[in-house]
Amino acid sequence: MCGIVGYSGGRSAASILLNGLKRLEYRGYDSAGIALGGPDGVCIHKREGKVAGLVEQLGDYENRPEIQRAHSGIAHTRWATHGPPTTANAHPHAGGSGEVVLVHNGIIENHSSLRAKLQADGYQFVSETDTEVLSHLIARELLETESLVDAVRLALTQVVGTFGICCMCAAEPDVLVVARRGSPIVIGLAEGETIVASDASAIISHTRQVIYLDDDDVARIEHGSVDISSLDARPVTRETADIDWSSDAVEKGGYAHYMLKEIHDQPEAIRNAIRGRLDATRGTAVLAGLNLEPRDLVDLQRVVFVGCGTSLNAGLVGEYAVEDFAAMLAEVEQAAEFRYRNPIVSSTDLLLAISQSGETADTLAAVREAAEKGACVAGLVNVVGSTIAREAGRGIYLHAGPEISVASTKAFTCQVAVLLMVALKMGRSRRMSREAGIQIVKEIQRVPELVERVVATSDAIAMVAQHFTECQHMFYIGRGYMYPVALEGALKIKEISYVHAEGYHAAELKHGPIALLEKGTPVVAVLCEGPGKDKVLGNVAECQARGAVVVGLITEGDEESRDICDHVIEVPKSPHYTATITATVALQLFAYHVARLRDCPIDQPRNLAKSVTVE
Ligand code: G6P
């Protein structure tokens, strides 16, 4: 949510910052801005709209000496929270009379009271943002202190809320000060220069060596030197880490959209997620990062999955699988609800926090709440070094590679693959036989190849999609393991094609939603072979009797369902638990093609952002 880039070094900063912003645009894209520091002070350029608009505004900047001689700067791409997406509300924000400039990700919760005090002291506000409050606060502290880093520290001690910030000032134009609380900041280290960003995709083309700041760290950066300290000015040492993916991973690789590329990435991503984690001899999963021995697992009485959005839907598959494989209590809960519900958890509960980014504010808060209550907490996270991964202490990385498209695809299927392995491990520590475990191992190992087969049917799915480019509403229905698939299918299509879509348990349809069906209303029925399929076929008949047009997501060779449905999309035969993955891939492609045919901005849907680091 909001992208931040900063640079201090020997090169001209503008193109480094603008290229970094393009990489981060998936984090927010309603306005963009850049501030460049040079001998003439700090100069801000910003505007409403996407990064391309800002680049256009800068004109032939590579031949503008006043821009090229800036060797430091900060930049931002915004997802609006306080104040609409206008040029005035775009970052960077100036503080004082322009001596301080700041980009910020997060929310300053006490901004109203701070604003009133600053206004009483004569500070003039030109935006509606909470960020401008912080920039004036830093400017005010700078009047009392020697250096920007001290001013930032003093200002941050007055702030309630979350922040990832990057700040510079006219008096020390080569110095950047960055700090974080709740919003990530990564510092990329290179020879004689430092690149700062809210995530590593903006850094990877310059260096693989990074430092992830912890909450309440403040870093002073000047060219290649980085000094990290705490908010109360004690020196702090943070380890340097290596980014283990290449810059190709953040390129489109010839695909029209990141989403399509990431759908195609899935066979390989799932291979990476399961590699070395399945033991075909013992019929179990080896999940070293969980750091739970069979005797620890036996003591656990319940697994609670928490997440938001797509990760929440993956958690629902996890709940079904843990009950199914391990005959163990399991439940899934929306992370925001969990944190505010005063949940009943104890030391015999395993809380598994599911998050692609590892930064979602509500999921992180749920982790903290569960840890506070003494639960065993683990993370199921994609982004290495992210806050949830670090705070959970134990967990499993997805190894899905960077996911750039706002609509999550490969993260979901890798989450489900890992959750099946978690359930398998739980099952084997309880009543599941070795033979049953070996069978599940074999089925999970088949998944990458099955997904390859689904991806290869993209054109056939596009043919079905072309019948639904004009529709306003859709329903997705499923039962059992196919219920979360219906939810995820509906989420995908509403995110990227702006068709209003709702996922329902097929049995729930009669309890209200069926009132909305009329002639031509599309219903996507997830009819993969398995328990409950026949019941869904019954629900299909009820829908058709009311004029609905039914798209059946069916198992190859299921002639009965083919005959009944108006259109079909096929997936290869597999057990219900792994069909959660193949069926979802088919629905990702269906959503993708509907959105493409409707000419929607697939990778950057309106109002959304990739990671939601605010409540
Ligand atoms: C946002 C994204 C979704 C994502 C959700 C949870 O809403 O747009 O695609 O599923 O956040 O994100 P997480 O990183 O925690 O999985």
Side-chain angles (χ1 to χ4, degrees):
M1 185 156 282
C2 301
I4 289 176
V5 199
Y7 176 81
S8 173
R11 290 187 282 163
S12 178
S15 56
I16 296 169
L17 294 171
L18 291 169
N19 287 332
L21 280 192
K22 285 182 202 151
R23 286 267 172 261
L24 295 185
E25 211 171 8
Y26 70 107
R27 297 180 67 97
Y29 31 81
D30 56 39
S31 55
I34 184 171
L36 296 166
D40 319 323
V42 182
C43 185
I44 297 176
H45 309 265
K46 58 184 182 177
R47 68 174 271 177
E48 182 183 339
K50 298 195 174 181
V51 175
L54 175 67
V55 174
E56 197 185 302
Q57 177 177 310
L58 289 170
D60 185 13
Y61 69 88
E62 286 178 345
N63 290 311
R64 287 174 63 185
E66 77 282 13
I67 291 187
Q68 287 306 301
R69 62 174 174 257
H71 288 181
S72 62
I74 60 179
H76 190 265
T77 173
R78 179 170 184 247
W79 186 87
T81 55
H82 292 77
T86 59
T87 300
N89 288 335
H91 300 214
H93 285 285
S97 319
E99 54 272 22
V100 168
V101 289
L102 171 73
V103 292
H104 165 229
N105 186 5
I107 288 187
I108 309 299
E109 288 171 13
N110 57 339
H111 67 100
S112 304
S113 56
L114 290 172
R115 178 184 280 254
K117 280 187 212 148
L118 286 159
Q119 277 170 332
D121 289 350
Y123 285 85
Q124 307 264 328
F125 283 80
V126 294
S127 82
E128 297 154 76
T129 63
D130 52 336
T131 303
E132 195 185 0
V133 170
L134 184 53
S135 54
H136 284 314
L137 209 52
I138 296 169
R140 189 170 71 180
E141 295 303 336
L142 198 55
L143 298 174
E144 309 291 326
T145 54
E146 294 286 298
S147 66
L148 180 63
V149 68
D150 288 334
V152 168
R153 269 202 205 94
L154 289 168
L156 290 179
T157 52
Q158 301 165 55
V159 153
V160 178
T162 56
F163 50 81
I165 61 164
C166 187
C167 179
M168 59 195 298
C169 73
E172 302 173 87
D174 287 343
V175 174
L176 305 182
V177 175
V178 295
R180 72 157 276 171
R181 182 186 293 159
S183 286
I185 292 285
V186 189
I187 301 175
L189 309 168
E191 191 56 45
E193 61 181 8
T194 305
I195 305 112
V196 176
S198 47
D199 79 62
S201 14
I203 291 177
I204 182 78
S205 61
H206 303 286
T207 177
R208 293 175 164 280
Q209 286 231 299
V210 293
I211 294 172
Y212 298 100
L213 287 192
D214 274 356
D215 273 356
D216 290 344
D217 285 351
V218 180
R220 180 189 186 278
I221 291 158
E222 187 168 11
H223 305 302
S225 96
V226 178
D227 293 309
I228 308 177
S229 51
S230 61
L231 214 46
D232 53 7
R234 281 173 296 108
V236 162
T237 311
R238 298 280 170 236
E239 278 177 22
T240 305
D242 269 341
I243 303 174
D244 65 355
W245 39 270
S246 75
S247 52
D248 293 351
V250 289
E251 301 289 344
K252 277 193 208 147
Y255 289 95
H257 299 96
Y258 280 112
M259 182 179 182
L260 189 61
K261 173 189 178 269
E262 287 158 9
I263 290 173
H264 281 79
D265 278 349
Q266 289 178 108
E268 194 51 29
I270 298 167
R271 269 186 203 105
N272 291 338
I274 65 177
R275 181 170 293 125
R277 289 172 165 172
L278 287 167
D279 184 331
T281 311
R282 286 161 52 225
T284 190
V286 183
L287 301 169
L290 259 193
N291 201 13
L292 292 171
E293 298 299 323
R295 62 177 172 280
D296 304 319
L297 295 175
V298 167
D299 290 340
L300 291 175
Q301 288 179 4
R302 189 174 64 144
V303 187
V304 180
F305 300 98
V306 292
C308 301
T310 289
S311 297
L312 177 65
N313 291 338
L316 193 52
V317 180
E319 177 189 329
Y320 286 14
V322 167
E323 287 177 355
D324 191 11
F325 294 0
M328 191 177 167
L329 285 177
E331 55 191 76
V332 60
E333 178 122 6
Q334 210 285 342
E337 202 52 29
F338 180 91
R339 67 184 283 199
Y340 286 118
R341 202 171 47 92
N342 195 11
I344 300 165
V345 277
S346 72
S347 58
T348 56
D349 290 324
L350 170 65
L351 179 117
L352 202 50
I354 308 173
S355 175
Q356 187 286 128
S357 61
E359 303 292 350
T360 300
D362 285 321
T363 311
L364 175 60
V367 163
R368 290 176 177 161
E369 181 62 22
E372 190 72 37
K373 289 190 149 72
C376 174
V377 178
L380 205 167
V381 167
N382 192 34
V383 177
V384 175
S386 55
T387 312
I388 293 174
R390 285 183 292 152
E391 287 212 10
R394 64 176 86 220
I396 311 163
Y397 279 122
L398 296 182
H399 300 309
E403 192 180 66
I404 307 291
S405 175
V406 168
S408 182
T409 53
K410 62 180 178 176
F412 176 86
T413 48
C414 289
Q415 284 164 347
V416 171
V418 171
L419 288 167
L420 293 178
M421 294 192 289
V422 170
L424 169 64
K425 192 172 168 66
M426 298 283 180
R428 288 289 287 127
S429 72
R430 290 178 155 69
R431 289 289 302 148
M432 184 189 284
S433 69
R434 181 169 158 270
E435 288 66 32
I438 290 172
Q439 190 52 38
I440 292 171
V441 168
K442 282 188 187 150
E443 293 296 348
I444 297 174
Q445 283 171 329
R446 282 178 65 218
V447 169
E449 192 253 320
L450 298 181
V451 171
E452 257 158 29
R453 284 168 54 192
V454 177
V455 170
T457 65
S458 179
D459 290 348
I461 295 173
M463 303 280 281
V464 179
Q466 71 189 7
H467 296 280
F468 300 97
T469 54
E470 300 299 322
C471 64
Q472 302 294 315
H473 308 278
M474 288 182 107
F475 293 93
Y476 283 64
I477 56 171
R479 286 173 185 253
Y481 277 112
M482 296 303 122
Y483 170 48
V485 171
L487 296 181
E488 180 57 12
L491 178 60
K492 281 298 84 93
I493 204 151
K494 75 182 122 196
E495 281 179 306
I496 60 167
S497 73
Y498 312 145
V499 173
H500 168 230
E502 297 301 336
Y504 284 103
H505 191 283
E508 191 60 22
L509 207 67
K510 294 200 256 308
H511 299 289
I514 202 165
L516 296 169
L517 294 188
E518 51 191 37
K519 192 166 165 23
T521 307
V523 174
V524 178
V526 191
L527 284 160
C528 297
E529 291 286 358
K533 186 203 99 175
D534 290 342
K535 302 270 183 223
V536 183
L537 270 182
N539 303 125
V540 164
E542 290 158 7
C543 294
Q544 287 176 321
R546 281 140 187 102
V549 176
V550 175
V551 179
L553 183 60
I554 68 169
T555 307
E556 275 168 11
D558 176 4
E559 296 307 325
E560 183 195 14
S561 301
R562 174 188 293 283
D563 288 346
I564 291 171
C565 296
D566 302 286
H567 304 273
V568 293
I569 296 172
E570 290 182 310
V571 293
K573 192 166 173 53
S574 78
H576 238 196
Y577 54 84
T578 52
T580 51
I581 296 178
T582 50
T584 302
V585 173
L587 293 181
Q588 293 166 354
L589 282 165
F590 179 66
Y592 173 81
H593 288 299
V594 171
R596 178 181 59 81
L597 293 164
R598 286 165 67 93
D599 216 11
C600 294
I602 291 178
D603 286 330
Q604 293 175 355
R606 69 179 175 218
N607 303 340
L608 299 182
K610 183 70 186 155
S611 102
V612 178
T613 53
V614 293
E615 278 191 58

